[in-house]
Amino acid sequence: MHFCIARFIWKHIQKQIVQRRRIPLVQSIKETQSGESGVYSTVSDNGSAQEAGISSPFFDFYTIAEATNNFSHKLGEGGFGSVYKGKLPSGQEVAIKRLSEKSGQGLKEFQNEVQVISRLQHRNLVQLLGCCIHGEEKLLLYEFMANKSLDTFLFDPKKARELDWEKRYKIIQGICRGLLYLHQDSRLRIIHRDLKASNILLDEDFNPKISDFGMAHIFPDHQNQALTSRIVGTYGYMAPEYAFHGELSEKSDVFSFGVLLLEIVRGKKNTSINYDQSLNFLGHAPMQLIQAWTLWNEDRSAELIDPLLHHSDSIKEMMRCIHMGLLCVQELPTDRPTMSSILTMLSSDSALPAPKNPAFFLESSNSGEDNLADACYSINGVTCTNIDAR
């Protein structure tokens, strides 16, 4: 009895503290120059986004603080900030992304994500439930995904055992369908720009859902490619024409999908830079692409398969996925297949064309004179945002 009374008093005190500190909700967000992401919304005092077709609910900060028990249940953390588990008054479980002040993702990325994902509906895209702006706080509410993100399983030696080939193949197909929807079938034509394992969420049945649309680019109906000086995304997953020249198209996402596809088959993260004189290659390439290409040419692709999967009777299907991964990471965008072609490859046994050299390979007979600047090829697990003069 005394415990219940004390708990009630404590919650009342917490509520008073939060209310006293609370900064009134933003009455309006100044419209930002559209740049490459389109017009941003205006958020009114009744909690709805009025412009750009946004219909996402606007949550009160205190409601979110109470739902997360004052942000005490952290699910994970990334370059954008932290993600917390919460439960709304209705009983619905949610995942809440709380953007960090130190994050490279600011108001522009926050509004971009709300604008994009609130207008999309697909079983392989994460559902945005609402947002909140409270002083310097920027929060996004999503449906809760019981198995967190793909990287928490795929790159963990113990948890990876739960990902048999049947689950991995279902994940590959789901990611493919989600990207195809973004590229061709949605009301907006969207390039994700930051496809990687940590941005693939998994529900309780290991169904994949693409998340994190803060860096997504919206194409007008008549446009198929763009040239941008604002390079955003994660090195190691970026297509070379985009990373070096700002040339953006759906083939940029295809390249990222190829890297991710190889990661799923191998069970290893694509994080390393390689310079291998013995292979007569001079340049900086994701280690995974060099190894995959080398073993492919030596007819040893089976060595790329995750040892945890060797007992499976689907080795032929895994080899086919390695083949498709190499087709996706070819240097020239025109050589890479579209997502619709990839989905057809996944659902048939038709013959596949031979892949050409992966990107980032620069043949040379020199030992060091043509070496490129290391600073141009930074690869890490954190989302990077580089802003150059326009």
Side-chain angles (χ1 to χ4, degrees):
M1 181 66 178
H2 291 294
F3 174 78
C4 293
I5 295 174
R7 181 176 174 81
F8 174 80
I9 294 173
W10 172 242
K11 290 190 71 175
H12 179 73
I13 292 173
Q14 282 185 313
K15 183 174 181 178
Q16 293 298 318
I17 291 173
V18 173
Q19 287 179 334
R20 287 173 184 171
R21 290 179 177 175
R22 183 180 176 190
I23 302 172
L25 291 175
V26 176
Q27 297 296 315
S28 63
I29 301 174
K30 292 182 179 179
E31 291 184 3
T32 309
Q33 186 175 0
S34 60
E36 59 180 24
S37 297
V39 179
Y40 295 129
S41 68
T42 297
V43 179
S44 66
D45 56 359
N46 66 4
S48 62
Q50 302 292 337
E51 297 178 10
I54 300 174
S55 58
S56 185
F58 202 74
F59 281 78
D60 177 85
F61 180 78
Y62 175 70
T63 300
I64 296 176
E66 189 171 33
T68 58
N69 193 19
N70 286 326
F71 302 97
S72 61
H73 189 172
K74 183 184 286 190
L75 296 174
E77 190 166 357
F80 55 81
S82 302
V83 177
Y84 300 87
K85 183 179 179 180
K87 181 179 287 189
L88 298 177
S90 64
Q92 181 179 9
E93 290 186 324
V94 294
I96 298 170
K97 181 193 288 188
R98 188 181 193 184
L99 271 70
S100 167
E101 293 182 9
K102 298 179 181 179
S103 169
Q105 298 188 43
L107 183 61
K108 181 172 183 177
E109 285 81 4
F110 175 87
Q111 290 182 309
N112 192 55
E113 178 141 9
V114 174
Q115 178 194 16
V116 170
I117 200 168
S118 65
R119 299 169 69 180
L120 302 175
Q121 291 292 330
H122 191 274
R123 62 179 299 181
N124 295 118
L125 303 183
V126 70
Q127 183 181 1
L128 180 69
L129 303 176
C131 60
C132 172
I133 297 178
H134 178 86
E136 296 300 317
E137 295 274 10
K138 293 181 284 290
L139 304 104
L140 295 165
L141 284 75
Y142 300 94
E143 59 179 320
F144 177 70
M145 303 293 281
N147 282 316
K148 300 182 181 180
S149 55
L150 176 58
D151 63 321
T152 61
F153 281 86
L154 192 60
F155 307 133
D156 185 297
K158 293 181 180 179
K159 290 186 176 181
R161 297 180 183 278
E162 297 183 47
L163 288 181
D164 57 22
W165 180 245
E166 184 179 357
K167 287 191 180 76
R168 296 192 198 199
Y169 200 66
K170 180 171 71 171
I171 289 170
I172 291 169
Q173 290 176 313
I175 297 169
C176 184
R177 291 191 189 100
L179 280 179
L180 177 59
Y181 172 79
L182 292 175
H183 292 176
Q184 296 185 22
D185 300 332
S186 69
R187 292 189 298 167
L188 306 172
R189 294 188 61 249
I190 295 169
I191 308 302
H192 187 277
R193 289 206 290 186
D194 199 23
L195 188 73
K196 56 185 178 180
S198 60
N199 285 338
I200 305 299
L201 304 184
L202 303 172
D203 68 12
E204 63 276 7
D205 297 318
F206 288 91
N207 293 307
K209 300 200 178 189
I210 300 171
S211 69
D212 200 341
F213 289 82
M215 299 177 185
H217 182 101
I218 303 174
F219 275 123
D221 290 337
H222 63 278
Q223 191 176 351
N224 294 316
Q225 57 185 10
L227 186 63
T228 177
S229 59
R230 186 171 183 265
I231 310 301
V232 296
T234 304
Y235 292 118
Y237 297 86
M238 284 187 193
E241 72 278 0
Y242 173 59
F244 302 150
H245 308 297
E247 298 172 5
L248 185 65
S249 70
E250 65 180 47
K251 296 300 183 71
S252 308
D253 279 350
V254 170
F255 182 92
S256 302
F257 176 79
V259 175
L260 183 55
L261 181 53
L262 291 171
E263 284 184 333
I264 293 172
V265 177
R266 297 196 67 190
K268 292 183 180 180
K269 189 173 179 60
N270 180 44
T271 56
S272 300
I273 295 291
N274 185 75
Y275 167 66
D276 197 329
Q277 193 77 38
S278 65
L279 296 177
N280 196 35
F281 284 118
L282 179 62
H284 301 252
M287 177 74 79
Q288 179 166 255
L289 301 192
I290 289 182
Q291 291 177 337
W293 178 248
T294 303
L295 292 175
W296 170 268
N297 282 329
E298 296 175 358
D299 200 24
R300 296 163 54 202
S301 298
E303 295 179 28
L304 294 168
I305 297 172
D306 189 338
L308 294 174
L309 303 174
H310 283 175
H311 65 280
S312 172
D313 57 358
S314 302
I315 299 297
K316 184 178 179 181
E317 202 169 55
M318 299 177 204
M319 299 277 284
R320 186 175 175 85
C321 283
I322 292 172
H323 191 158
M324 286 188 288
L326 289 172
L327 290 174
C328 291
V329 298
Q330 293 176 105
E331 184 169 7
L332 297 180
T334 52
D335 289 333
R336 299 172 206 153
T338 61
M339 292 312 303
S340 58
S341 299
I342 296 168
L343 190 58
T344 300
M345 294 175 191
L346 286 169
S347 58
S348 71
D349 294 324
S350 59
L352 302 178
K356 299 178 182 177
N357 284 2
F360 296 109
F361 274 37
L362 303 176
E363 266 190 274
S364 173
S365 57
N366 265 322
S367 60
E369 295 174 347
D370 297 327
N371 200 7
L372 302 176
D374 291 346
C376 294
Y377 298 82
S378 170
I379 295 183
N380 52 61
V382 178
T383 297
C384 300
T385 304
N386 298 332
I387 303 178
D388 301 324
R390 293 187 181 277

